[in-house]
């Protein structure tokens, strides 16, 4: 967001959006690049009591956490090396709530119940050497895929490292308001419990990804996502070219030989399919989304392209959505920022982000002017919601 705010909205039976909450940073130089909803357990004695939260981060390198019900700030997570470009939340089968954040050269794994930083994934020469732009949890929570400005896609094994898995799953117990006020965190190690300050809770460092793939894209990798829920799940990824690639990671070397300098390896990926579209060549930080059946991405000319994931033959979109927006007033010039991550000047109809509702019935998109669009899925095609395109301007 090139303003300094984050908003949420709902749609009533009349199909019109109504703003529910609005947040603005006290720092006018702040920019928000990533936003995600999540939940956390707020008391160890009553783990069933949950707090629904909104997380957002950006140019300041901090992650702000807001309570959705009270609209109050819960805390701010600090420690990222630079601007935060992506946030992804995952809840385990044991109700541990985890967060993965992406910044310059690293991924950080956080426990949202205790706000402890569990692990830092990254380090030269095998990790990312530039900004990490996108992260994605494996549906089972065992791995994390990341893409960055260096053109690499790395796969990090969360459960494969005993130290990381021990801290990530079941060691950090949520703290109550008294512990939170004193900035202390209660952690359980084995059968014993003790109180640690945040400084005493030392995160693990994971320098070696399971695999690194440099031969999928030749430029920035700004969006990655898993397709499938088994251990052999496929990966969808895109760069600044007009294409999204579906591929499968291939084993490269035995673990003992994987990171030897100069080792010759076979191709690290098996390409399965390429989804081609137009109107976005050379523009980065454009995110795609998918439901169980449809893949969607926006472009630089105000369109949203859709593919049927069940159709293995078609490479071109089966439908292209193009909202019609009535501009109100003069368009304000974008603010200049001092962040290391400074997107190029945008065209007003660039659609950077799209996302599906959990059941796949609604598709929401936003453009560079702050307009938010909503489409509803019909029997065959996706149509404007409520028989007419509904738009709000933030």
């Amino acid at each position: 967001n090139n303003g300094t705010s984050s908003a949420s909205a709902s749609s009533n039976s009349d199909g019109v959006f109504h703003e529910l909450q609005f947040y603005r940073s006290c720092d006018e130089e702040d920019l928000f690049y990533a936003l995600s909803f999540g939940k956390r357990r707020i008391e160890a004695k009553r783990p069933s009591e949950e707090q629904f939260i909104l997380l957002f981060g950006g140019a300041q390198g901090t992650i702000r956490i807001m309570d959705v019900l009270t609209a109050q700030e819960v805390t701010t997570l600090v420690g990222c090396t630079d601007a935060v470009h992506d946030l992804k939340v995952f809840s385990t089968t044991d109700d541990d709530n985890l967060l993965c954040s992406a910044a310059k050269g690293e991924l950080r794994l956080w426990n949202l119940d205790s706000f402890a930083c569990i692990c830092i994934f990254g380090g030269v020469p095998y990790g990312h050497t530039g900004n990490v732009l996108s992260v994605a949890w494996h549906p089972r929570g065992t791995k994390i895929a990341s893409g960055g400005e260096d053109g690499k896609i790395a796969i990090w094994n969360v459960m494969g490292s005993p130290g990381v898995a021990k801290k990530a799953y079941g060691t950090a117990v949520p703290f109550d308001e008294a512990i939170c006020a004193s900035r202390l965190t209660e952690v359980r190690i084995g059968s014993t419990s003790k109180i640690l300050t945040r400084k005493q809770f030392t995160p693990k460092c994971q320098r070696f990804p399971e695999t690194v793939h440099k031969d999928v894209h030749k430029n920035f990798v700004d969006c990655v996502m898993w397709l499938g829920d088994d251990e052999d799940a496929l990966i969808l990824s895109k760069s600044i070219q007009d294409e999204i690639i579906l591929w499968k990671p291939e084993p490269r070397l035995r673990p003992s030989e994987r990171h030897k300098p100069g080792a010759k390896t076979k191709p690290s990926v098996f390409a399965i399919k390429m989804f081609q579209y137009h109107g976005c060549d050379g523009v980065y930080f454009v995110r795609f989304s998918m439901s169980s059946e449809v893949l969607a991405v926006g472009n630089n000319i105000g369109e949203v392209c859709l593919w049927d994931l069940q159709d293995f033959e078609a490479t071109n979109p089966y439908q292209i959505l193009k909202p019609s927006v009535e501009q109100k007033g003069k368009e304000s010039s974008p603010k200049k920022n001092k962040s290391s991550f400074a997107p190029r000047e945008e065209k007003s109809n660039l659609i950077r982000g799209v996302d599906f509702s959990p059941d796949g019935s609604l598709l929401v998109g936003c453009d560079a002017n702050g307009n938010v669009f909503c489409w509803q899925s019909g029997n065959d095609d996706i149509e404007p919601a409520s028989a007419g395109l509904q738009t709000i301007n933030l």
Side-chain angles (χ1 to χ4, degrees):
N1 190 337
N2 63 356
T4 56
S5 60
S6 171
S8 62
S10 71
S11 176
N12 289 347
S13 58
D14 57 2
V16 179
F17 285 106
H18 299 274
E19 184 179 287
L20 295 179
Q21 297 177 1
F22 181 85
Y23 305 101
R24 182 179 296 276
S25 174
C26 297
D27 186 352
E28 294 185 356
E29 297 295 321
D30 200 0
L31 301 171
F32 297 143
Y33 300 147
L35 178 147
S36 181
F37 284 98
K39 63 180 181 178
R40 58 179 296 265
R41 293 176 293 176
I42 57 177
E43 290 191 24
K45 295 181 180 179
R46 290 182 291 174
S48 60
E49 187 171 346
E50 295 179 330
Q51 183 178 42
F52 295 94
I53 54 178
L54 173 68
L55 308 94
F56 46 93
Q60 299 297 321
T62 59
I63 302 170
R64 297 173 181 266
I65 300 180
M66 309 295 296
D67 187 316
V68 174
L69 298 181
T70 64
Q72 299 295 317
E73 183 170 0
V74 179
T75 191
T76 299
L77 304 180
V78 298
C80 297
T81 55
D82 208 321
V84 177
H85 301 136
D86 202 8
L87 297 169
K88 293 293 171 61
V89 174
F90 181 81
S91 295
T92 71
T93 54
D94 296 327
D95 292 329
D96 292 306
N97 302 296
L98 307 177
L99 167 70
C100 182
S101 62
K104 186 175 182 179
E106 69 172 28
L107 290 70
R108 286 184 178 244
L109 182 62
W110 308 82
N111 187 299
L112 291 176
D113 299 328
S114 64
F115 299 131
C117 181
I118 300 167
C119 183
I120 302 174
F121 297 96
V124 293
Y126 307 112
H128 292 282
T129 55
N131 288 318
V132 182
L133 301 179
S134 179
V135 293
W137 283 94
H138 186 281
R140 295 186 179 180
T142 56
K143 301 176 183 179
I144 297 174
S146 61
E149 287 184 344
D150 54 7
K152 295 179 182 177
I153 299 174
I155 298 177
W156 307 87
N157 196 336
V158 178
M159 291 298 292
S161 171
V164 176
K166 182 179 179 181
K167 283 194 172 184
Y169 298 92
T171 61
V173 175
F175 51 85
D176 57 22
E177 296 300 326
I179 297 176
C180 181
S182 61
R183 299 184 66 82
L184 299 179
T185 302
E186 181 182 357
V187 297
R188 184 175 68 248
I189 302 177
S191 60
T192 62
S193 297
K194 60 181 179 179
I195 302 298
L196 300 177
T197 66
R198 293 188 185 186
K199 291 184 179 179
Q200 290 174 311
F201 195 97
T202 304
K204 297 285 293 184
C205 291
Q206 180 67 275
R207 292 185 56 204
F208 301 99
E210 183 180 78
T211 56
V212 178
H213 308 276
K214 304 178 183 179
D215 46 358
V216 184
H217 302 283
K218 297 180 180 179
N219 213 312
F220 297 168
V221 179
D222 57 8
C223 193
V224 294
M225 194 171 291
W226 294 88
L227 179 62
D229 58 0
D230 55 16
E231 287 302 319
D232 295 326
L234 308 177
I235 294 180
L236 283 160
S237 62
K238 70 172 286 292
S239 182
I240 62 174
Q241 286 78 31
D242 291 341
E243 60 187 25
I244 300 172
I245 299 177
L246 175 65
W247 54 279
K248 178 182 178 181
E250 290 286 334
R252 304 181 69 180
L253 290 173
R254 295 193 302 271
S256 60
E257 301 177 350
R258 183 176 296 153
H259 300 295
K260 287 185 178 180
K264 295 183 180 180
T265 63
K266 63 180 182 180
S268 66
V269 300
F270 176 73
I272 298 175
K273 185 176 180 180
M274 185 180 298
F275 300 89
Q276 298 177 329
Y277 59 106
H278 66 283
C280 214
D281 193 22
V283 181
Y284 76 111
F285 212 64
V286 176
R287 307 300 181 91
F288 61 81
S289 180
M290 67 177 180
S291 65
S292 59
E293 298 179 351
V294 179
L295 172 67
V297 68
N299 63 18
N300 201 28
I301 55 178
E303 298 174 341
V304 177
C305 302
L306 306 177
W307 293 267
D308 184 355
L309 291 175
Q310 308 299 322
D311 187 348
F312 293 98
E313 300 296 330
T315 59
N316 295 322
Y318 79 89
Q319 186 179 0
I320 296 179
L321 307 174
K322 190 165 185 177
S324 177
V325 183
E326 181 181 351
Q327 299 295 340
K328 298 182 179 180
K330 295 182 179 180
E331 182 180 345
S332 59
S333 58
K335 294 182 180 180
K336 294 182 179 179
N337 66 84
K338 301 177 182 179
S339 166
S340 60
F341 177 74
R344 66 178 65 187
E345 187 175 347
E346 303 167 329
K347 292 185 178 181
S348 60
N349 51 4
L350 170 62
I351 298 180
R352 281 199 183 276
V354 293
D355 203 1
F356 284 95
S357 61
D359 62 359
S361 62
L362 294 176
L363 173 64
V364 176
C366 60
D367 67 11
N369 284 330
N371 297 307
V372 179
F373 318 105
C374 183
W375 295 272
Q376 188 170 16
S377 177
N379 294 330
D380 299 318
D381 296 330
I382 293 181
E383 303 172 349
S386 301
L389 181 65
Q390 300 299 328
T391 305
I392 56 174
N393 189 287
L394 303 181

